[in-house]
Amino acid sequence: MESLKDFVKLYGHLDGPLRKDKEYVIALYDNWASDKLANEKYIVFSEVGTFGGKNFILSYFFGGAAALTLLVLLFFCVGFCAFIKGRRIEEESYIQKLKY
C-alpha cells in the first residue's frame, strides 16, 4: 500500500494498437472507497516501449553518465601507462612505489 497521493498503479494492457472504428468495453470495479482517503481514481491510456515507458531524457542521462565514466577510465589508464613507461619492473624503487 502506498502512502502518497500521487501513487500510480498500472494494470492491464492491450495487444496491438487501438483503432478508432472499433468499440472497446472497460469494466470498472470499485473495490475500495477512495473518497474516504481523499484520493481520486483515473483511467489513463499510455503508450510504452519494449522496456517500459518512453522516457528519452533518462536514456540521454544514462548515455552521458556512460560517456563520463569512459573518459575517467581513459584518464586513469593513460596516467597509469605514463607512470610505468620507461621503468623496469625488477627495480626495488619501482616496486616500492606500487605498494599501497
Side-chain angles (χ1 to χ4, degrees):
M1 180 159 204
E2 183 64 35
S3 60
L4 301 175
K5 289 186 177 184
D6 59 350
F7 174 72
V8 177
K9 183 176 182 181
L10 303 177
Y11 177 78
H13 68 279
L14 297 173
D15 294 326
L18 292 174
R19 306 204 189 284
K20 67 178 181 177
D21 57 344
K22 187 175 179 183
E23 184 176 321
Y24 295 93
V25 178
I26 299 174
L28 300 175
Y29 301 100
D30 192 13
N31 292 330
W32 72 93
S34 63
D35 54 345
K36 291 181 182 178
L37 300 173
N39 290 335
E40 296 177 350
K41 298 177 187 179
Y42 296 97
I43 296 177
V44 178
F45 292 101
S46 66
E47 184 178 353
V48 296
T50 305
F51 300 109
K54 291 186 175 183
N55 189 350
F56 296 115
I57 296 195
L58 188 62
S59 64
Y60 294 140
F61 173 75
F62 284 135
L68 181 65
T69 304
L70 181 64
L71 288 175
V72 170
L73 175 70
L74 289 174
F75 174 76
F76 281 109
C77 285
V78 168
F80 180 74
C81 290
F83 178 72
I84 64 170
K85 183 178 180 183
R87 304 243 164 88
R88 295 180 53 98
I89 295 175
E90 301 86 18
E91 294 178 7
E92 182 68 29
S93 63
Y94 175 72
I95 296 173
Q96 293 297 327
K97 286 183 180 180
L98 291 179
K99 288 185 179 179
Y100 293 109

